[in-house]
Amino acid sequence: VASAPVFSQVAPELEAFAGRSIIIGHTIHYDLAVLEREYTLARRTWPRFRALDVRMLARLAAPSLADHSLDRLCEWLGIEIKGRHSALGDAEATGNVFVALVPLLRAKDIRTLAEAEAASRTLAEREARKPADMLQQQPARRKMRARWQERCSA
């Protein structure tokens, strides 16, 4: 990492790569918060990448599932994770989870990107109104959810 270029040097490549695509990740809003901070530190305009969080989508598709971690989702959906905790391994597993969730979301009448975004936002807002649940969550998860809700309401 010490020999890696500074963020301001790679930001244009990131923007060109992402373009107008939808970024899909597991708890992606944490990653977006880190990126937003890097943009701020580099004094660059935050491009507000559009994103879908497979953890949130899984909670919409299977609310009774006790655990929505990437490992548990892969197990539940019969997806093999190759290279867990590596960028490529986790990204491939997350992509495979997303693909597997699409028919389950359709069954819940979530058929478009706009519907997935709206349903995710509604779920996050509903959960934010549950103070007892929020108190039981880890502090880092509360911060991550708060940043995501701010981003959704902007």
Side-chain angles (χ1 to χ4, degrees):
V1 180
S3 63
V6 296
F7 180 77
S8 60
Q9 293 173 329
V10 297
E13 287 179 55
L14 172 65
E15 293 165 24
F17 176 75
R20 297 171 55 93
S21 300
I22 307 304
I23 299 174
I24 297 174
H26 184 271
T27 62
I28 189 66
H29 300 290
Y30 172 79
D31 301 292
L32 292 176
V34 170
L35 278 175
E36 184 176 10
R37 183 175 185 276
E38 288 299 321
Y39 270 88
T40 300
L41 293 173
R43 296 183 181 172
R44 294 184 59 90
T45 302
W46 170 239
R48 288 192 174 269
F49 297 110
R50 285 180 80 183
L52 286 175
D53 185 343
V54 296
R55 183 176 186 276
M56 186 68 72
L57 295 176
R59 294 175 67 212
L60 290 164
S64 61
L65 195 62
D67 179 8
H68 294 89
S69 67
L70 185 57
D71 291 307
R72 180 65 185 111
L73 291 174
C74 286
E75 179 185 321
W76 174 60
L77 295 166
I79 296 169
E80 180 183 355
I81 304 177
K82 297 176 184 171
R84 180 69 170 115
H85 297 296
S86 69
L88 184 57
D90 287 358
E92 286 178 344
T94 299
N96 290 333
V97 167
F98 175 73
V99 169
L101 287 174
V102 169
L104 301 174
L105 291 166
R106 281 187 188 141
K108 302 268 184 174
D109 290 325
I110 300 170
R111 300 173 190 280
T112 67
L113 172 62
E115 289 171 348
E117 289 174 320
S120 295
R121 189 171 35 256
T122 299
L123 178 59
E125 290 168 356
R126 186 172 55 230
E127 289 182 349
R129 290 190 293 264
K130 295 181 182 176
D133 291 346
M134 292 296 286
L135 291 174
Q136 294 173 354
Q137 293 177 356
Q138 299 171 358
R141 189 146 334 262
R142 282 196 309 261
K143 287 180 186 177
M144 180 177 55
R145 183 168 284 135
R147 291 201 87 169
W148 181 77
Q149 289 169 341
E150 288 174 13
R151 199 171 284 112
C152 287
S153 64

